[in-house]
């Protein structure tokens, strides 16, 4: 295995690892209540519904990207390469174009620095929490109401 392939495998091990995934999940679960679709928009995948972000949402996005960058910077420092060198290597290896799960994970890593992708992630956690809340409240004579 060449150096480029090893770096790619190490990067995948990082983003697929329990520690990395647990950090992301804990952050999303702790903060997803700040993000919800407007009443009547549950289940929609059209993220254009949320044109403006609040100051609180922007701060959470900044915290999220800082968390990702911290993990990535530690990875790069261990291998003595720059972020630019890593992305050049990934492009050269065609890592983003792979149709397998590895390509998907790498695209997700890069996309995590775009607000729309962050919003989609937070909305998915918010929807999941909302669905669980509905399931819990159905036995108490409720559920299914609009949220906002």
């Amino acid at each position: 295995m060449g150096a480029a392939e090893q770096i790619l495998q190490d990067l995948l091990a990082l983003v697929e690892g329990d520690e990395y995934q647990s950090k992301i999940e804990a952050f999303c679960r702790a903060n997803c209540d700040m993000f919800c679709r407007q009443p009547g928009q549950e289940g929609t995948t059209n993220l254009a519904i949320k044109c403006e972000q609040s100051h609180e949402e922007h701060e959470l996005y900044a915290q999220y990207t800082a968390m990702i960058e911290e993990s990535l910077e530690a990875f790069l420092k261990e291998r003595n390469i720059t972020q630019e060198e890593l992305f050049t290597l990934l492009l050269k290896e065609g890592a983003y174009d792979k149709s397998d799960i590895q390509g998907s994970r790498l695209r997700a890593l890069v996309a995590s620095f775009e607000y729309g992708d962050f919003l989609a992630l937070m909305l998915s956690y918010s929807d999941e929490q909302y669905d669980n809340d509905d399931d819990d409240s159905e036995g108490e004579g409720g559920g299914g109401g609009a949220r906002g």
Side-chain angles (χ1 to χ4, degrees):
M1 178 181 299
E5 291 173 342
Q6 185 61 55
I7 291 172
L8 179 59
Q9 291 303 314
D10 291 348
L11 180 61
L12 288 168
L14 170 73
V15 299
E16 292 174 344
D18 290 340
E19 182 180 340
Y20 182 88
Q21 291 295 320
S22 293
K23 265 200 291 192
I24 290 175
E25 183 163 346
F27 179 89
C28 292
R29 291 199 184 284
N31 296 295
C32 68
D33 59 334
M34 289 286 300
F35 300 84
C36 64
R37 299 176 203 277
Q38 299 299 313
Q41 295 173 328
E42 291 84 357
T44 183
T45 56
N46 180 5
L47 296 181
I49 60 172
K50 181 91 172 153
C51 298
E52 296 181 24
Q53 58 180 307
S54 69
H55 293 293
E56 294 84 6
E57 290 169 339
H58 179 74
E59 178 60 30
L60 287 174
Y61 174 62
Q63 291 173 18
Y64 177 80
T65 56
M67 181 178 66
I68 300 295
E69 286 175 347
E70 181 181 316
S71 296
L72 190 54
E73 287 301 317
F75 173 86
L76 296 172
K77 187 175 182 180
E78 287 175 13
R79 283 146 191 87
N80 197 31
I81 61 173
T82 66
Q83 192 172 30
E84 293 78 22
E85 290 171 330
L86 175 65
F87 289 125
T88 299
L89 173 71
L90 294 173
L91 285 171
K92 187 175 169 182
E93 291 293 315
Y96 302 120
D97 300 326
K98 293 182 179 181
S99 61
D100 58 10
I101 190 72
Q102 293 178 347
S104 174
R105 296 282 176 147
L106 292 172
R107 286 188 298 276
L109 174 66
V110 172
S112 67
F113 294 104
E114 296 181 17
Y115 183 76
D117 294 306
F118 169 75
L119 178 59
L121 178 67
M122 295 306 287
L123 286 173
S124 71
Y125 275 89
S126 178
D127 288 347
E128 180 182 309
Q129 182 173 327
Y130 178 66
D131 289 344
N132 290 338
D133 289 347
D134 273 356
D135 292 344
D136 292 344
S137 65
E138 284 178 8
E140 300 168 11
R147 62 182 192 166

